Amino acid sequence: MTAICVANNKGGVGKTTSVVNLAAGLARLGHTVLVVDGDGQGNATYALTGRIHPVPSLYDVLMEKATIQDVLWTTNEDNVWLVPGDARLQNVDVELAARAGREWKLARALAGQTFDYIIIDTPPSLGVLTQNALAAAHGVIVPVSLTEFSLIGMDKLLATIDDLGNELDIPDLRLLGILVTFYEENKTGRETYGILEKKFEDKLFATSIPKNLKLEEAHRRNESILAFAPNSPGGVAYAELAREVKKRAAAEHSPYSRRRAGAR
Amino acid sequence: MPGDASDAQSARDQEFVRWLRALADAVERDPALAERVRTEAVTGAQADQANEQGRKHEGHEDSHETHETGAFQPEGVRHSAPGGLAPGGCAEHTLSSPDSITPTLRHTRRSSRYGPPSVSGRAVELGTGVPDPFALYAAAGEDGLRRALETLRVGSLRAIIRAHGLDPQGKLSASATEKRLIAVIVTAAKRAAGTGEQRTTKRTTTRRTKTPEAS
Ligand SMILES: Nc1ncnc2c1ncn2[C@@H]1O[C@H](COP(=O)(O)OP(=O)(O)OP(=O)(O)O)[C@@H](O)[C@H]1O
Ligand SMILES: [Mg+2]
């Protein structure tokens, strides 16, 4: 089992879109996938089920009022399950502030799950929710939208993930890859991509996600791009990303339970 | 036809429908416009409520540029001139007060990016996961089931049809509309209720056995 957290403290870079479509891609490769909606916006929940801020949700799990099994939903995608998120997650930073081991709540709750993949969506911040997601994950995917100012803050983000890994003492948390999103085949796109390639080398996923309105449309229809438009540029890219993630995850596999057994 | 109230009404309705389609097209193409329309719709709804009594829908100057008929000029309260948005064009994005469309565009969630339209009538609890139309029919009747389904989009409706095996011959085309999908689901639920047929949830059943349980 591999748990993956998709994180970037920048908003609108394609985190949720990547969570939903990567999950669909992995499911179509024959795997069982659990999506955890760790964002109080509940966008992954909406995309996969059409529901808005359902209760109970991950919030109740983090507050130890429910277990994962209590909030395990089927979704619009076969072989993809969901732990939904609702708006109360936005209060988690405050509500868990004084609790010991607050970063480990999710990891503890997920320990023992036997899905092939767990993919965790995060809010555009590095607060307690993202810390929980990191603590529960083996690997982090950082989507970077190839728009003009996308690279600003990248180094800081990666350093912060590193710091959090050290601070939380998660030695096997690693960067699974940097994922280029909103890629456009033009001068700016190529140049920015070139910079990223030079800087991150093989940490950059070979697959990049093109800017493609079908992805947005799929979201609104509450379908994955692989259900809605598998042959669209976005559909082809996310199917390819799933294969790449599978390969990377297999190459660096580490058993979930060993690390989480020590979860405080 | 001048003087014919019902003809005028239906022309107005058609014009309004055309405008909504054009708006939908434009919104689909342009996320920034989508955001704006949504924000304005919500603000408009609030303003609408606050001013319920005093407000006069006076039409918008610029609506005449794009709607020669002035067909959106309201006498009613709701369908007043959305103004400024050229049907089929929309390049300018000069959308003025969209309070007329708040009944359909009002969103309930805080994040304005995604959200289904609100549906009038008492909300019907959809339950968790892929909804069970047979249970919904039993609990809330045809109207209730319909209302519940109308809050869902294509992806969720298709999931219901797949999960409950409602299209065994695979006759539904990939482009089937939400209306068509809802009709298929309602018909199946009605038929099952009529025949007292016991329905099982195909996908949920197979999934349960496959659901990785906590060990
Ligand atoms: N490759 C793409 N091409 C076009 N539109 C995209 C693409 N990826 C995502 N989008 C759209 O961009 C918007 C933002 O994407 P998304 O919600 O995935 O970002 P996010 O990082 O999760 O945002 P947030 O930080 O607010 O949670 C959405 O409307 C989504 O449909
Ligand atoms: Mg998101």
Side-chain angles (χ1 to χ4, degrees):
Chain A
M1 195 270 283
T2 302
I4 297 165
C5 156
V6 178
N8 188 335
N9 53 343
K10 260 190 200 161
V13 295
K15 292 184 288 294
T16 303
T17 305
S18 298
V19 165
V20 167
N21 293 301
L22 175 59
L26 289 166
R28 276 150 205 260
L29 293 176
H31 298 292
T32 54
V33 185
L34 173 65
V35 168
V36 177
D37 190 349
D39 181 5
Q41 296 178 87
N43 289 336
T45 298
Y46 180 64
L48 283 167
T49 68
R51 311 297 223 290
I52 295 168
H53 302 312
V55 174
S57 79
L58 176 64
Y59 173 85
D60 303 277
V61 174
L62 296 177
M63 294 299 151
E64 296 176 28
K65 297 207 170 94
T67 65
I68 293 288
Q69 294 312 116
D70 294 336
V71 292
L72 200 53
W73 286 37
T74 50
T75 71
N76 295 352
E77 278 290 310
D78 288 347
N79 282 328
V80 176
W81 284 261
L82 171 76
V83 172
D86 79 279
R88 293 172 302 159
L89 285 170
Q90 286 161 358
N91 309 328
V92 159
D93 274 298
V94 175
E95 290 178 29
L96 286 185
R99 298 216 199 162
R102 60 181 177 277
E103 302 91 352
W104 290 93
K105 303 270 179 210
L106 180 59
R108 270 220 299 257
L110 288 173
Q113 291 294 332
T114 55
F115 291 90
D116 296 337
Y117 292 91
I118 296 179
I119 305 181
I120 310 166
D121 195 13
T122 60
S125 70
L126 294 170
V128 172
L129 283 169
T130 302
Q131 290 171 19
N132 265 274
L134 289 169
H138 297 111
V140 192
I141 292 178
V142 178
V144 181
S145 110
L146 269 214
T147 48
E148 234 170 301
F149 305 109
S150 57
L151 302 186
I152 299 173
M154 262 294 278
D155 286 334
K156 189 150 178 283
L157 169 67
L158 295 178
T160 310
I161 291 177
D162 238 27
D163 289 351
L164 281 172
N166 292 333
E167 213 176 286
L168 298 174
D169 192 19
I170 325 175
D172 59 348
L173 174 69
R174 63 208 153 63
L175 180 66
L176 196 61
I178 290 166
L179 174 67
V180 165
T181 57
F182 290 88
Y183 182 75
E184 283 184 284
E185 189 57 51
N186 56 30
K187 191 162 169 280
T188 315
R190 277 192 299 273
E191 275 176 11
T192 322
Y193 189 87
I195 295 170
L196 280 171
E197 208 174 19
K198 222 184 213 159
K199 200 168 161 65
F200 297 109
E201 299 177 343
D202 56 351
K203 274 298 170 194
L204 197 64
F205 281 108
T207 314
S208 40
I209 309 300
K211 183 171 178 182
N212 182 358
L213 278 182
K214 290 275 180 210
L215 287 164
E216 181 133 11
E217 206 180 326
H219 239 312
R220 278 201 309 272
R221 293 165 58 100
N222 304 154
E223 284 185 304
S224 75
I225 190 69
L226 298 176
F228 171 52
N231 298 321
S232 64
V236 171
Y238 274 111
E240 189 52 42
L241 178 70
R243 284 189 284 272
E244 206 182 342
V245 164
K246 180 178 172 167
K247 227 189 259 166
R248 283 195 186 199
E252 305 182 47
H253 184 75
S254 77
Y256 194 77
S257 49
R258 192 184 62 206
R259 182 158 60 90
R260 265 78 206 168
R264 280 134 291 181
Chain B
M1 201 76 29
D4 185 329
S6 80
D7 271 5
Q9 174 67 39
S10 101
R12 251 196 305 277
D13 287 348
Q14 275 172 22
E15 180 77 342
F16 184 59
V17 165
R18 270 201 299 279
W19 180 83
L20 278 179
R21 286 212 179 95
L23 175 65
D25 281 343
V27 158
E28 200 161 327
R29 280 195 303 268
D30 185 345
L33 175 66
E35 196 58 51
R36 244 185 87 201
V37 170
R38 214 171 274 130
T39 310
E40 290 192 38
V42 171
T43 325
Q46 285 157 355
D48 212 11
Q49 268 166 11
N51 300 324
E52 196 93 75
Q53 295 300 323
R55 186 160 187 160
K56 277 226 170 105
H57 293 258
E58 293 171 345
H60 306 279
E61 287 95 56
D62 56 356
S63 69
H64 295 288
E65 289 166 30
T66 49
H67 305 290
E68 293 155 31
T69 60
F72 291 150
Q73 297 313 307
E75 72 267 309
V77 189
R78 279 308 183 189
H79 293 197
S80 61
L85 193 70
C90 309
E92 292 301 306
H93 298 169
T94 49
L95 188 72
S96 56
S97 169
D99 42 323
S100 58
I101 52 170
T102 52
T104 47
L105 283 184
R106 188 176 300 157
H107 287 251
T108 48
R109 56 207 313 267
R110 260 209 257 163
S111 157
S112 56
R113 200 174 293 138
Y114 319 108
S118 63
V119 173
S120 59
R122 204 166 56 83
V124 175
E125 192 50 62
L126 285 162
T128 62
V130 177
D132 178 347
F134 305 106
L136 284 170
Y137 186 92
E142 182 176 342
D143 277 358
L145 171 60
R146 229 176 247 290
R147 270 207 307 280
L149 296 176
E150 279 167 5
T151 64
L152 297 175
R153 302 281 66 87
V154 173
S156 302
L157 297 169
R158 284 196 174 280
I160 293 174
I161 289 170
R162 265 199 328 276
H164 297 275
L166 305 185
D167 181 29
Q169 262 100 54
K171 283 199 230 153
L172 275 171
S173 80
S175 58
T177 60
E178 282 166 3
K179 210 171 143 191
R180 169 97 180 94
L181 299 173
I182 288 173
V184 166
I185 297 168
V186 171
T187 306
K190 257 164 89 173
R191 189 179 303 138
T195 59
E197 195 184 326
Q198 281 296 313
R199 298 300 308 222
T200 51
T201 308
K202 273 202 180 164
R203 195 178 55 161
T204 312
T205 315
T206 45
R207 278 181 160 203
R208 269 221 180 104
T209 58
K210 280 205 288 177
T211 303
E213 297 295 329
S215 51

